[in-house]
Amino acid sequence: MDKILLIGNGGHAKACIEVIESQNNYIIDGIITDKYNSDKEDIFQGYKIIGNDIDLEKFSNEYRYAFIGIGQIKSPHTRINLFNKLTNYGFILPNIISSHALASSRSQIGNGSIVMHHALINANVNIGNNCIINNKALIEHDTMIGDNCHISTGAVLNGSVIIEKNTFIGSNSTIMQGIKIGQNSIIGAGCFVYKDLPDGTIFK
């Protein structure tokens, strides 16, 4: 298995660790976090914290793979900045698919995206880079999801939905078939979206 660095040590990072361990393709060799203290040895979920963001360029000479374990609700900007920084330093950001998820071989999942436990991705789905498809999300056939999106727990995206980049879809929300949601939008938990929404919509 290849060594990988995980960026972040919050709640989403804990969930990412579970998925990476289930996939059994990568060994987490260290955690990068802004809470790093070089004067003491810290452990997070059984893994050593080895540095912070300013160390990433140095670590790029030692590691090929890195993954962003920082979540996204109100804004994707932290994840976008990290994705760009890691890419510029030459890291490979693989997609991580839980062994407990079902992702159609006829779908495409971009770099640095994660598909978490019990998510289901049907045929001809296209998911961009740096996305989170969270636990038990259902992504139906022919749906397109842009870069830097978070499809939260239990969300349902019916067939031929378009979710443009930098958008958050809240837990247990349902997007009706054929709907388009513009970029930089936020859909609240439990919402039913029955009409197209323009860029920058906050729908609750």
Side-chain angles (χ1 to χ4, degrees), residues 15 17 31 33 40 63 92 111 115-118 130 135 163 165 188 192 196 198 202:
I17 287 170
I31 305 292
T33 171
K40 65 177 183 177
Y63 296 93
I92 297 170
N111 298 329
V115 179
M116 307 192 85
H117 297 325
H118 303 292
N130 199 27
N135 300 310
I163 307 294
K165 66 182 182 179
F192 177 66
D196 291 351
I202 298 176

Coordinates of all heavy atoms in Angstrom, one line a residue, residues 15 17 31 33 40 63 92 111 115-118 130 135 163 165 188 192 196 198 202:
A15 N -13.9 10.8 10.0 CA -14.7 10.0 9.1 C -13.8 9.6 7.9 O -14.0 8.4 7.4 CB -15.9 10.8 8.6
I17 N -10.6 9.0 7.8 CA -9.8 7.9 8.3 C -10.5 6.5 8.2 O -9.9 5.5 7.7 CB -9.2 8.1 9.7 CG1 -8.2 9.3 9.7 CG2 -8.6 6.9 10.3 CD1 -7.8 9.8 11.0
I31 N -0.5 13.0 9.9 CA -1.5 14.0 9.9 C -0.9 15.4 9.9 O 0.0 15.7 10.6 CB -2.4 13.9 11.2 CG1 -3.0 12.5 11.3 CG2 -3.5 14.9 11.1 CD1 -4.0 12.0 10.3
T33 N -1.8 19.4 10.4 CA -2.9 20.2 11.0 C -2.2 21.5 11.5 O -1.1 21.6 11.9 CB -3.6 19.5 12.1 OG1 -4.4 20.4 12.8 CG2 -2.6 18.9 13.1
K40 N 6.0 18.7 21.2 CA 5.4 17.5 21.8 C 4.9 16.6 20.7 O 4.6 17.0 19.6 CB 4.3 17.8 22.8 CG 3.1 18.5 22.2 CD 2.0 18.7 23.3 CE 0.7 19.3 22.7 NZ -0.3 19.4 23.7
Y63 N 6.5 12.4 0.0 CA 5.3 11.7 -0.2 C 4.7 12.0 -1.6 O 4.7 13.2 -2.0 CB 4.2 12.1 0.9 CG 4.6 11.7 2.3 CD1 5.3 12.6 3.1 CD2 4.3 10.5 2.8 CE1 5.7 12.2 4.4 CE2 4.6 10.1 4.1 CZ 5.3 11.0 4.9 OH 5.7 10.7 6.2
I92 N -0.2 13.9 -5.6 CA -1.4 13.3 -6.2 C -2.5 13.2 -5.2 O -2.3 12.7 -4.1 CB -1.0 11.9 -6.7 CG1 0.1 12.0 -7.8 CG2 -2.2 11.1 -7.2 CD1 0.7 10.6 -8.2
N111 N -10.4 13.8 -8.9 CA -9.3 13.8 -8.0 C -9.6 14.4 -6.7 O -10.3 15.4 -6.6 CB -8.1 14.5 -8.6 CG -7.6 13.8 -9.9 OD1 -7.7 12.6 -10.1 ND2 -7.1 14.6 -10.8
V115 N -16.0 9.2 -1.5 CA -17.3 8.6 -1.4 C -17.4 7.8 -0.1 O -16.6 6.8 0.0 CB -17.6 7.8 -2.7 CG1 -19.0 7.1 -2.6 CG2 -17.4 8.6 -3.9
M116 N -18.2 8.2 0.8 CA -18.2 7.7 2.1 C -19.2 6.5 2.3 O -19.8 6.0 1.3 CB -18.5 8.8 3.1 CG -17.5 10.0 2.9 SD -17.5 11.2 4.2 CE -16.3 10.4 5.3
H117 N -19.2 5.9 3.5 CA -19.9 4.7 3.7 C -21.4 4.7 3.3 O -22.1 5.6 3.6 CB -19.9 4.3 5.2 CG -18.5 4.1 5.7 ND1 -17.5 3.5 5.0 CD2 -17.9 4.3 7.0 CE1 -16.4 3.4 5.8 NE2 -16.6 3.9 6.9
H118 N -21.7 3.6 2.6 CA -23.1 3.4 2.2 C -23.7 4.4 1.2 O -24.9 4.5 1.0 CB -24.0 3.2 3.4 CG -23.6 2.1 4.3 ND1 -23.6 0.8 3.9 CD2 -23.0 2.2 5.5 CE1 -23.1 0.1 4.9 NE2 -22.7 0.9 5.9
N130 N -12.3 17.2 -5.8 CA -12.4 17.8 -4.4 C -13.8 17.8 -3.9 O -14.2 18.8 -3.2 CB -11.8 19.2 -4.5 CG -11.4 19.8 -3.1 OD1 -11.0 19.0 -2.2 ND2 -11.4 21.1 -3.0
N135 N -21.9 10.0 3.8 CA -22.6 8.7 4.2 C -24.0 8.7 3.7 O -24.8 9.6 4.0 CB -22.5 8.5 5.7 CG -21.1 8.4 6.2 OD1 -20.3 7.7 5.7 ND2 -20.8 9.2 7.3
I163 N -25.5 19.9 -10.4 CA -25.1 20.6 -9.2 C -23.8 21.3 -9.6 O -22.7 20.7 -9.9 CB -24.8 19.8 -8.0 CG1 -26.0 18.9 -7.6 CG2 -24.4 20.6 -6.8 CD1 -27.2 19.6 -7.2
K165 N -20.4 24.0 -9.4 CA -19.3 23.9 -8.5 C -19.5 24.7 -7.2 O -20.3 25.7 -7.1 CB -18.0 24.5 -9.2 CG -18.1 25.9 -9.6 CD -16.8 26.3 -10.3 CE -16.8 27.8 -10.6 NZ -15.6 28.2 -11.3
G188 N -30.3 23.8 2.4 CA -30.4 23.4 3.8 C -30.8 22.0 4.0 O -31.3 21.3 3.1
F192 N -36.7 20.1 0.0 CA -37.1 19.5 -1.3 C -37.0 20.6 -2.4 O -37.7 21.6 -2.3 CB -38.5 19.0 -1.2 CG -39.0 18.5 -2.5 CD1 -38.5 17.3 -3.0 CD2 -40.1 19.1 -3.2 CE1 -38.9 16.8 -4.2 CE2 -40.5 18.6 -4.4 CZ -40.0 17.4 -4.9
D196 N -35.3 24.9 -10.7 CA -33.9 25.4 -10.9 C -33.6 26.5 -10.0 O -34.5 27.4 -9.7 CB -33.7 25.8 -12.4 CG -33.8 24.6 -13.3 OD1 -33.8 23.4 -12.8 OD2 -33.8 24.8 -14.5
P198 N -30.6 29.7 -9.2 CA -29.5 30.4 -9.8 C -28.3 30.4 -8.9 O -28.3 29.9 -7.8 CB -30.0 31.9 -9.9 CG -31.0 32.0 -8.8 CD -31.7 30.6 -8.7
I202 N -29.2 30.6 -1.5 CA -29.3 29.9 -0.1 C -30.8 29.5 0.0 O -31.7 30.3 0.1 CB -28.9 30.9 1.0 CG1 -27.5 31.3 0.8 CG2 -29.1 30.2 2.4 CD1 -27.0 32.3 1.9

